[in-house]
Amino acid sequence: MSDMSEIRVHERRRIVFPARLHVHNHIENVVGLDLSEGGCRIRCKRPVNIFSKVLLEIYIPSSSKKGEYTVCDPIGSVVVRWAKPSKQHGYFILGLQFSSRPGENHGINHLLENDQSSTVEKLVCQNSSLLGHYVECFVCGQEKVQQYSLRSKALHIKNNIFGIPTFGEPVDGKDPIDYNFLYLTICPNCNFTAPGDEFFKFSQEDEPSFDVSKFFEKWNSEKSKLSVKYNQNKEGIDGDSRNIEQANLSYELAALGFKILREINSDNGVFVRLDAMIKARHAQLCMENLGKKAEFTREKSEDLLKEAKLILDDNFETLSEIQGLMGAQLLVAISVYFGDIDTLGKYMKFIDNFDTSNKPEEGSQTSKSLTQVRAKVKEIYQNRDMYHKEKLNTFLPE
């Protein structure tokens, strides 16, 4: 499993679109399978090596002639996922990361804003800030699992000091929503819970990123108490307006699931990184809703941050370059919050020395991530007195 989740600007959406791929002197018509502002997956007839630089031209429906398409300007991209055979014989699936933020001339924003998705059955949402769709559970095969994503530019979003999004006022007449309540998708049959991206099946090309049989065995033996809790709270839990109890349960289920995923994939940093981020997101949910649930206390929020820190610190060697940079940024932020000087120094040194012996290629995603992480860590360190827990009432600096 690649780590595309680290480098997407927004969660990918299942949008099928025609496009043209340029690889050196080879030009091929391809089909896009999903899309975000950060990248996409495509189906093509020939494999392309990872880290290859390519150009992608997207076709969008013509505004003047029905049934015809307009070709948009090419956008530079890098192959960030190994080519793998598609279930459709003779094709390969490639994951692309866009080299720059898409402009209006690239057609990507047009497809995202007009919700051109046709790969999954859509689910009507009562909340106008959400997009809904049905997916299939990789673990048990349950069909029509309800899943929600946030519409592009529907809300004012601000990251807290740990890089976790907080959702403010809606824009353009959209409805308010705290998407942290719906960030995790829950299978109503086996109760497997995870972020939608890459953990539930959207299209025929999708395959699980983990050994389902190994996971299923451990999951069934360890989930009983939480499944009882699920049955007590299942009324409306798959809708687009979860209550605080249901949202909390979703994070508890995900915590168990990713603990198991880490155990059966001990050398895969993807699960380590996601487990820590889910705990940090759970901490934000608790902090933003203090007192609305008995256990939603500041102590609970801070305990979740400590768990995230422990998971990352204990398993840091499993992280890839980009995962390591993002993980180090979170560790620095948590260490500043708790005043943990030793851990702070350890990971600031890691970031400072990251390119000492092996400098990333200029313009590569690793190079861009390093620049961004260094800037954010510098800002966190400069404001370390302000970001200490004794100075904050929430995880958002005032």
Side-chain angles (χ1 to χ4, degrees), residues 207-219:
E207 298 174 5
S209 54
F210 54 93
D211 187 319
V212 171
S213 60
K214 283 185 180 179
F215 177 85
F216 188 75
E217 182 179 356
K218 294 201 72 170
W219 179 246

Side-chain angles (χ1 to χ4, degrees), residues 2 12 19 41 74 83 95 140 147 222 225:
S2 68
R12 61 181 176 142
R41 285 190 313 155
C140 69
Q147 188 171 89
E222 297 183 30
K225 288 184 179 179

Side-chain angles (χ1 to χ4, degrees), residues 13 115 123-133 147-152 154-155 167 174-183 239-242:
R13 297 185 187 159
D115 186 23
L123 170 65
V124 176
C125 297
Q126 298 301 313
N127 190 297
S128 62
S129 292
L130 297 173
L131 295 171
H133 36 261
Q147 188 171 89
Y148 304 92
S149 58
L150 193 64
R151 286 185 181 273
S152 176
L155 303 172
F167 302 93
K174 294 288 192 294
D175 295 324
I177 185 75
D178 183 347
Y179 186 63
N180 285 326
F181 278 63
L182 293 170
Y183 170 65
D240 61 6
S241 56
R242 281 180 192 156

Side-chain angles (χ1 to χ4, degrees), residues 369-395:
S369 296
L370 178 60
T371 300
Q372 292 166 1
V373 167
R374 280 179 170 165
K376 184 59 182 177
V377 165
K378 180 180 179 181
E379 183 267 327
I380 293 171
Y381 186 74
Q382 287 177 339
N383 292 287
R384 59 192 181 280
D385 292 336
M386 186 196 317
Y387 290 173
H388 189 273
K389 68 175 190 172
E390 301 298 335
K391 300 291 181 67
L392 291 173
N393 293 319
T394 70
F395 295 147

Side-chain angles (χ1 to χ4, degrees), residues 130-374:
L130 297 173
L131 295 171
H133 36 261
Y134 292 102
V135 295
E136 181 180 321
C137 178
F138 277 131
V139 176
C140 69
Q142 174 73 24
E143 298 180 347
K144 290 208 166 185
V145 178
Q146 295 181 201
Q147 188 171 89
Y148 304 92
S149 58
L150 193 64
R151 286 185 181 273
S152 176
K153 302 176 183 177
L155 303 172
H156 292 287
I157 300 174
K158 183 178 181 180
N159 285 349
N160 69 14
I161 63 172
F162 308 114
I164 301 300
T166 63
F167 302 93
E169 293 297 314
V171 299
D172 298 331
K174 294 288 192 294
D175 295 324
I177 185 75
D178 183 347
Y179 186 63
N180 285 326
F181 278 63
L182 293 170
Y183 170 65
L184 297 165
T185 298
I186 310 172
C187 172
N189 182 46
C190 72
N191 301 152
F192 174 63
T193 302
D197 193 6
E198 299 197 21
F199 288 97
F200 287 86
K201 184 175 182 178
F202 287 76
S203 64
Q204 291 302 312
E205 286 79 12
D206 282 338
E207 298 174 5
S209 54
F210 54 93
D211 187 319
V212 171
S213 60
K214 283 185 180 179
F215 177 85
F216 188 75
E217 182 179 356
K218 294 201 72 170
W219 179 246
N220 270 348
S221 67
E222 297 183 30
K223 69 169 186 173
S224 56
K225 288 184 179 179
L226 287 177
S227 287
V228 169
K229 199 171 179 180
Y230 173 88
N231 288 328
Q232 294 170 344
N233 291 276
K234 67 181 180 181
E235 185 65 33
I237 198 171
D238 57 353
D240 61 6
S241 56
R242 281 180 192 156
N243 61 39
I244 195 71
E245 293 277 354
Q246 294 167 337
N248 185 61
L249 175 59
S250 73
Y251 284 92
E252 291 178 342
L253 285 163
L256 175 60
F258 277 86
K259 169 182 166 290
I260 295 171
L261 286 169
R262 286 194 293 108
E263 289 172 352
I264 65 176
N265 301 274
S266 58
D267 60 347
N268 193 328
V270 170
F271 302 112
V272 171
R273 168 84 175 128
L274 277 173
D275 194 7
M277 291 305 295
I278 288 170
K279 282 182 169 54
R281 203 155 186 156
H282 193 185
Q284 172 61 33
L285 181 78
C286 291
M287 179 61 85
E288 202 162 15
N289 295 277
L290 292 177
K292 294 182 181 179
K293 178 177 164 55
E295 66 181 85
F296 274 18
T297 63
R298 183 162 187 146
E299 182 181 11
K300 169 70 173 178
S301 299
E302 292 179 351
D303 284 345
L304 286 164
L305 290 175
K306 290 174 183 177
E307 290 177 29
K309 175 173 169 286
L310 185 64
I311 288 168
L312 282 174
D313 193 24
D314 284 354
N315 300 279
F316 196 78
E317 71 282 354
T318 68
L319 303 181
S320 68
E321 286 188 337
I322 293 177
Q323 292 165 2
L325 287 169
M326 301 302 293
Q329 178 180 314
L330 179 56
L331 283 162
V332 165
I334 295 176
S335 299
V336 164
Y337 180 80
F338 287 112
D340 181 354
I341 303 302
D342 290 341
T343 305
L344 173 62
K346 175 181 176 182
Y347 288 101
M348 287 196 69
K349 183 177 180 181
F350 167 80
I351 294 167
D352 287 343
N353 296 336
F354 184 85
D355 55 354
T356 301
S357 57
N358 188 17
K359 192 173 182 65
E361 181 183 351
E362 186 175 354
S364 68
Q365 188 56 47
T366 301
S367 178
K368 292 177 183 178
S369 296
L370 178 60
T371 300
Q372 292 166 1
V373 167
R374 280 179 170 165

